[in-house]
Amino acid sequence: MNYSKIIHQIEHELQDFPNNGKVASYIPELSKVDPEMFGLHLYCIDGNHHSFGDSTERFSIQSISKVFSLTLAMQLLGDDLWKRMDVEPSGNAYNSLFQLERENGIPRNPFINSGALVISDILVSEYDNPKDEILKFVRKISGKHTINFNEKVAQSEKQHGHRNAALANLMKSFGNIKNDINAILDVYFYQCSLAMSCEELASAFMLFANEGKILETNEQVILPIKVQRINALMQTCGFYDEAGEFAFRVGLPGKSGVGGGIVTVHPEKYSAAVWSPKLNQKGNSLLGMETLERLTTKTGLSIF
Amino acid sequence: MNYSKIIHQIEHELQDFPNNGKVASYIPELSKVDPEMFGLHLYCIDGNHHSFGDSTERFSIQSISKVFSLTLAMQLLGDDLWKRMDVEPSGNAYNSLFQLERENGIPRNPFINSGALVISDILVSEYDNPKDEILKFVRKISGKHTINFNEKVAQSEKQHGHRNAALANLMKSFGNIKNDINAILDVYFYQCSLAMSCEELASAFMLFANEGKILETNEQVILPIKVQRINALMQTCGFYDEAGEFAFRVGLPGKSGVGGGIVTVHPEKYSAAVWSPKLNQKGNSLLGMETLERLTTKTGLSIF
Amino acid sequence: MNYSKIIHQIEHELQDFPNNGKVASYIPELSKVDPEMFGLHLYCIDGNHHSFGDSTERFSIQSISKVFSLTLAMQLLGDDLWKRMDVEPSGNAYNSLFQLERENGIPRNPFINSGALVISDILVSEYDNPKDEILKFVRKISGKHTINFNEKVAQSEKQHGHRNAALANLMKSFGNIKNDINAILDVYFYQCSLAMSCEELASAFMLFANEGKILETNEQVILPIKVQRINALMQTCGFYDEAGEFAFRVGLPGKSGVGGGIVTVHPEKYSAAVWSPKLNQKGNSLLGMETLERLTTKTGLSIF
Amino acid sequence: MNYSKIIHQIEHELQDFPNNGKVASYIPELSKVDPEMFGLHLYCIDGNHHSFGDSTERFSIQSISKVFSLTLAMQLLGDDLWKRMDVEPSGNAYNSLFQLERENGIPRNPFINSGALVISDILVSEYDNPKDEILKFVRKISGKHTINFNEKVAQSEKQHGHRNAALANLMKSFGNIKNDINAILDVYFYQCSLAMSCEELASAFMLFANEGKILETNEQVILPIKVQRINALMQTCGFYDEAGEFAFRVGLPGKSGVGGGIVTVHPEKYSAAVWSPKLNQKGNSLLGMETLERLTTKTGLSIF
């Protein structure tokens, strides 16, 4: 498969694509991004890299970081983790309190905010310095040691984080948050502020295309059965209220963030990260989804 | 892969599996089944068949039939179909009116009852005799010409079908049902009453493992891109409120029915149907899910 | 109290009242009304009548009729009635299926559509000819023997009644509808089509201001304790999603209809009916509410 | 009317009333109360007092305090208050986040927790020392200068207040809380901890039976029109999810608290407070409701 040719063809086709998406503005820091940024990085299991556009520019990965913290929590806790959250799509806006209230403080899955807050709570319980551990882990699996949190974004999240504080307090009232709420919010907001490029994201997510091993070093970081489950979760829950649409159009597991990034994984074939800040109405990168749909259509490859 | 050995090993392991599931009783006719029935049929893309137990016994396939009617509707309508329903998991009990009301009569996906009723409405609009067409289609893709509706089950459904009538009336109030409600309910109830064996289901679903072609005849019944989409829908929406769990534990697209059947598909590898009437709390065959989880664990093969 | 002077003062004040309400259009027949009609009739317990405007013009009383059928059902059934419905405000749009589904087919109160359908079901069970009984009852308590159903409105309701059919089917699935759905819908649609004037409504509702006795004849039609309960129900549930607003602004029990009528009752003082077809966003007569608010403000009399 | 005779008759009748209610236990401090306490105080507009049982024993008035803080806020703000909350019954459990989320952080009414938190926010904005002002106000209208907060109850509320913190944070995310969340929670928890006897509550609530004037001093504390509105709010929203039931059975405006107290008002006739700690399933005093129902039945007096 000539991936290089295919992705440049897509880049060319999308040059004049009418993009009526909107940059996320719920925190001021996010709205400062250049809305026209657009890049893709494809990392093949044979070790080859292909990319176009702003693929080495770092951006706020936001909810994509939930895959990293989930992976850490799955290493630490095993199946006990699933007593504190479910693995089902929410069928609701990603930060809804409704379901959480009806279901007694048990989040639907680890990729909605409430689920990610429980993951933060676990990391706070298990680690002396959870933020350091997250950073260490991301640097290790991507092989990029300058990756860091964006302090301004983290502070901006904190100042506008009342909805997440509501979720955490609600879960604490049900006994599903063990630690101090400010401590877990701190971990959560920093994690969301991670700044990475498409190249770095594709490198990190190769772990999930390569049965849990870092491709460069062949180190087994997480068991294959756990990777399959993380991929299954990305497939059914990785796109807020649009997981079905992504499965339907793209046909690969993936995770998006309101910073405009989407990472997707074709097990045993490749990982790919795309970035375009303008979001569709469901909060996913409009051009990103279009790009990935064309990628699987042109390669004829989806997991289905 | 020695599939034969693997499935007999599973059969052996599950011999004394504690099964506290309950046979569906919402219509009297369904509750008459022998709760201890248990069978599996695996059909490989190389043409080999493997089975155990009551795999040739016919049972009420119920919601599994929704995959057949969706396939017919996708052949007839193309993308217009998706103006009348979405492709998202519901995150709610499979027959809930709540979401349907909030979302203006647009069903979440074709596999919840409301979505299947819209599909029936389409078949009533497009065909002179939709029930005949469904039967013809199922017989053709399975190659089994004695497959038929179960009259008693269909009548029993009709007598207890007020909830489906409520769904149809609600959608009609929003303009998303075009035909007479009794006509579409009739198609729906007959379709649900289809009686098939695991062997017949695996044969029919080979279509979705084989890029839309009947394996025996090589006839292209539906385009590969559409098959990918049907598989994606089965993955995200095929198990009522437990689609995530099935993806997480089994890792394959599939569809279940309250008759206790589950069919699953590994694209380009096999189709497999399992039957055990006792259902878990979410309405899926308890032993069926256990069987398929062991199948993908032992073969090490999931799409993720 | 010089009621005559007060109501003419209100009529004068409201002459140029900016009314951006909208005539109900959910059934075509209702939208044919002259939107500028405006009338009031006040009937005092001392036997005096006061009125202005189009107070003798008949209009479609719609949901106001639910008070009549409830009164009949309370005469027939006693406290058993309340096993089949509750007496609580719904806190939701008046025809919502959400609550009904969550609360197992038990309507919140007799004045939302689902509750009124259960009342219809009771009348169908108890009477050979429920429509005749309703008519007979309304004629008797109002003393106006030419009151009748509006055939065109009833037929128009029937043609657009899918939402009510959905409610009835949902309740039947829970066992809370005993009779044939078409039979109860027929009673319901005819009852809603009753055509009455403000004068006739005020006369009929004097029953609820006069401890259950017809003022003209002194006949005790319903016990005082039951009248208190009907008045309490009108207070807490008589105005769809705006019962609190009416209690807050007007401070009297009452019932409104989408035909633009509102009847209100001050126990032991008066009954009053007002009509203006343009509705506010909650479905209550905009000018009607304004009129009644001024009436209780100017008279200084509310039950609170 | 011989009130004294009537209330002692009720006391006698209820001596052996089977009470399967349960003392509130959501905060440990509340569960320490003697469950068999039972008292009533009736204060007539002619100045006479009637009582039985533990009517001078102080208890935690909890949500009854919301009437006091609402009255203060209505004095301070006028109609602007109603931009920040509605006057409708909630139709949901009293602390539900669902409706608050769907309705953009605007509470349904001032008597559900979210509404009372907005009232606290207003008092924090308007007063230098809101807790002192609440205390001063309650002492003044009741004429009992030893009334005070219960420090232990307030601290216990604080330790178990995560659900209220969730509500406050959710509203802050919608911009409907202006001050620091801990500051408003502090006011709220102290207000709920007010300890008063039936005698003191009946004295304080005479304000609402007496058109806003303190009966002893004739001082006009709040305008009659505002009193009518507070009474209307108590009628439609004063009993959590059981306001309709209270209107139906008792027929008077009132307010209950999970401490087992209920205060009710018959405008221009009397105020009455009853206390029995065992609650029914909706969170209202079981014996308290029974007592008040008998009171209005025996006196033949309800506002309806």
Side-chain angles (χ1 to χ4, degrees), chain B residues 93-147:
Chain B
Y94 68 104
N95 51 4
S96 169
L97 286 125
F98 168 43
Q99 229 164 18
L100 193 58
E101 184 180 21
R102 202 176 50 175
E103 296 177 358
N104 302 315
I106 301 296
R108 272 284 164 129
N109 64 65
F111 295 150
I112 51 175
N113 286 14
S114 52
L117 288 165
V118 172
I119 298 285
S120 291
D121 189 50
I122 289 165
L123 300 186
V124 169
S125 293
E126 300 285 329
Y127 287 132
D128 286 341
N129 193 331
K131 289 191 285 186
D132 276 7
E133 298 289 338
I134 291 170
L135 210 50
K136 222 162 67 185
F137 179 72
V138 174
R139 286 169 174 176
K140 176 182 171 180
I141 63 171
S142 64
K144 315 285 165 166
H145 296 280
T146 62
I147 291 170

Side-chain angles (χ1 to χ4, degrees), chain A residues 95-99 101 161-163 165-170 172-174 181, chain D residues 95-99 101 161-163 165-170 172-174 181:
Chain A
N95 51 4
S96 169
L97 286 126
F98 169 43
Q99 230 164 16
E101 184 180 21
H162 296 107
R163 206 176 175 94
L167 289 167
N169 273 291
L170 179 59
K172 193 157 181 102
S173 79
F174 285 111
I181 281 168
Chain D
N95 50 5
S96 171
L97 286 126
F98 169 42
Q99 229 164 19
E101 184 180 20
H162 297 107
R163 207 176 173 94
L167 289 167
N169 273 292
L170 179 58
K172 194 158 180 99
S173 79
F174 284 111
I181 281 168

Side-chain angles (χ1 to χ4, degrees), chain B residues 96-98 101 162-163, chain C residues 96-98 101 162-163 169:
Chain B
S96 169
L97 286 125
F98 168 43
E101 184 180 21
H162 297 107
R163 206 176 173 94
Chain C
S96 169
L97 286 126
F98 169 43
E101 184 181 20
H162 296 108
R163 206 176 174 94
N169 273 292

Side-chain angles (χ1 to χ4, degrees), chain D residues 71-92:
Chain D
T71 305
L72 281 173
M74 283 177 76
Q75 287 179 314
L76 291 165
L77 247 70
D79 280 351
D80 276 357
L81 178 59
W82 308 112
K83 292 179 187 158
R84 294 182 60 185
M85 69 188 67
D86 207 341
V87 295
E88 294 302 328
S90 65
N92 266 299

Side-chain angles (χ1 to χ4, degrees), chain B residues 3 13 52 72 80 95 150 186 203 208 225 232 276 282 294 296:
Chain B
Y3 283 112
E13 287 170 12
F52 68 67
L72 281 174
D80 276 356
N95 51 4
N150 180 320
D186 183 64
S203 296
F208 307 107
I225 179 71
S276 161
K282 301 283 183 79
R294 289 178 192 231
T296 51

Side-chain angles (χ1 to χ4, degrees), chain A residues 3 7 27 37 50 60 70 151 166 172 175-176 185 199 210 221 236 241 243 256 258 265 281 288:
Chain A
Y3 284 112
I7 68 166
I27 59 167
M37 298 305 275
H50 311 278
S60 191
L70 169 66
E151 191 67 32
K172 193 157 181 102
N176 200 18
L185 287 173
E199 185 186 8
N210 190 35
V221 173
T236 52
D241 203 16
S256 73
V258 292
V265 157
Q281 289 188 318

Side-chain angles (χ1 to χ4, degrees), chain A residues 69-95:
Chain A
S69 50
L70 169 66
T71 305
L72 281 173
M74 283 177 76
Q75 287 180 314
L76 293 165
L77 247 69
D79 279 351
D80 276 357
L81 178 59
W82 309 112
K83 293 179 186 158
R84 295 182 61 186
M85 69 187 69
D86 206 341
V87 295
E88 295 301 329
S90 65
N92 267 298
Y94 69 103
N95 51 4

